Amino acid sequence: MVGKATSLPRGVYERELLRLQTELVKVQEWVRAERARLVVVFEGRDAAGKGGTIKRVAEHLNPRVARIVALPKPTERERTQWYFQRYVGHLPAAGEIVLFDRSWYNRAGVEHVMGFCTKEEHQLFLRQCPIFERMLVEDGILLRKYWFSVSDAVQQERFRRRLQDPTRRWKLSPMDLESITRWEAYSRAKDEMMVHTDIAEAPWYVVESDDKRRARLNTIAHLLGSIPYHEVPPPVLELPPRPGSTGYVRPPRDLQTYVPDHAATL
């Protein structure tokens, strides 16, 4: 994308989003029927729009089939394990979809830039990651990796809105604010990561995300286009007739505690 994108009209966005989400449900049913395993990695700078896109991807999917993995910082025990070990346990079984809201690439980004890992650990990651991902693909896992790219000005504005909005204030952490002062360090880390991990078996796809609506539609459309799915005919279901009464009598309402009707006070 060249230059600043004009904001997509809400009506156009919502119609196309619903169409794409309907296709995602078809992908879900194909994954279940074919016993496929799909992993989608969402990475990028803080406030780049990863979370919002993941939310739209998963919105109409069955949480028993598609789950979001957003791991906290590793425990002391996990710090002593092979780095990829804590992620392996979250990989999908047959018929499952896993959406990684940040992933093993933490080591190439925040851990490296903030000094949470050693230079040796960082270099080891860059050597092992392509091998690890080739193993996943060779084993039959469908692996897709998206990097959300946001400009410094837009990131700053999104941080400012989060700071002012009590419903989104939790999204802003001291680590996010630190990323502002380390913008170029993160840029260099991302460039080095791309050099080592943008491999033919599992390439990176960059999403321009200054416009969140466009980023969401573009990501979902690309994801759909990258999966060889087909529509799986749903089972034929019919509502059975409701049986007649057999004498059941509901207990008096005053024997149970009901939620107060707050809506009536509005």
Side-chain angles (χ1 to χ4, degrees):
M1 184 184 300
V2 179
K4 183 178 180 181
T6 56
S7 181
L8 206 60
R10 178 174 292 277
V12 174
Y13 163 72
E14 291 181 346
R15 284 192 299 273
E16 180 61 7
L17 178 61
L18 181 58
R19 187 188 73 80
L20 294 174
Q21 288 176 324
T22 302
E23 291 299 311
L24 283 172
V25 173
K26 295 178 184 178
V27 168
Q28 168 189 270
E29 295 309 303
W30 174 82
V31 165
R32 291 209 308 183
E34 298 294 328
R35 295 180 62 78
R37 291 171 292 165
L38 174 61
V39 171
V40 188
V41 169
F42 295 83
E43 291 286 348
R45 293 184 186 273
D46 298 313
K50 301 180 298 297
T53 302
I54 294 170
K55 179 180 178 181
R56 271 68 181 186
V57 169
E59 187 172 8
H60 297 293
L61 300 184
N62 184 344
R64 293 183 177 88
V65 176
R67 68 179 186 275
I68 300 170
V69 175
L71 298 184
K73 67 180 183 179
T75 64
E76 288 303 316
R77 181 175 183 274
E78 288 172 333
R79 292 178 191 276
T80 68
Q81 296 175 341
W82 176 48
Y83 176 71
F84 294 95
Q85 189 169 337
R86 70 193 298 246
Y87 296 99
V88 169
H90 295 277
L91 293 174
E96 294 180 350
I97 301 169
V98 172
L99 310 174
F100 276 101
D101 186 353
R102 295 202 181 278
S103 65
W104 46 88
Y105 282 101
N106 276 340
R107 176 137 295 179
V110 63
E111 290 189 15
H112 173 51
V113 173
M114 300 301 296
F116 297 153
C117 68
T118 66
K119 292 181 180 179
E120 292 75 19
E121 288 172 331
H122 175 241
Q123 289 302 308
L124 181 62
F125 170 84
L126 294 178
R127 290 197 302 272
Q128 289 187 342
C129 185
I131 300 171
F132 172 67
E133 292 183 350
R134 287 188 180 102
M135 291 173 65
L136 299 183
V137 174
E138 185 179 15
D139 201 61
I141 289 178
L142 299 171
L143 176 60
R144 302 294 182 267
K145 304 185 310 192
Y146 293 99
W147 176 269
F148 285 70
S149 178
V150 64
S151 66
D152 53 354
V154 171
Q155 184 195 54
Q156 187 89 357
E157 178 56 29
R158 289 176 183 173
F159 281 163
R160 185 176 296 108
R161 289 202 299 269
R162 288 181 179 183
L163 193 61
Q164 298 170 349
D165 186 346
T167 66
R168 295 191 294 172
R169 178 64 180 79
W170 62 269
K171 291 185 176 183
L172 197 59
S173 70
M175 199 72 65
D176 296 329
L177 300 181
E178 183 74 19
S179 69
I180 296 176
T181 62
R182 304 196 185 209
W183 178 272
E184 290 191 1
Y186 273 102
S187 295
R188 294 188 183 96
K190 183 263 294 183
D191 292 343
E192 186 176 12
M193 176 196 78
M194 290 287 188
V195 168
H196 289 271
T197 64
D198 187 16
I199 58 177
E201 297 87 346
W204 276 107
Y205 298 104
V206 178
V207 180
E208 293 282 3
S209 60
D210 275 5
D211 185 304
K212 289 185 177 181
R213 294 176 186 171
R214 289 177 181 271
R216 293 165 186 167
L217 298 184
N218 292 342
T219 303
I220 298 174
H222 181 274
L223 177 61
L224 291 169
S226 75
I227 300 172
Y229 74 100
H230 57 79
E231 186 168 0
V232 176
V236 178
L237 301 175
E238 293 184 5
L239 289 176
R242 187 174 294 278
S245 173
T246 59
Y248 169 77
V249 177
R250 182 175 179 172
R253 293 174 62 91
D254 58 9
L255 294 180
Q256 296 174 321
T257 303
Y258 284 80
V259 172
D261 189 1
H262 169 75
T265 68
L266 301 179

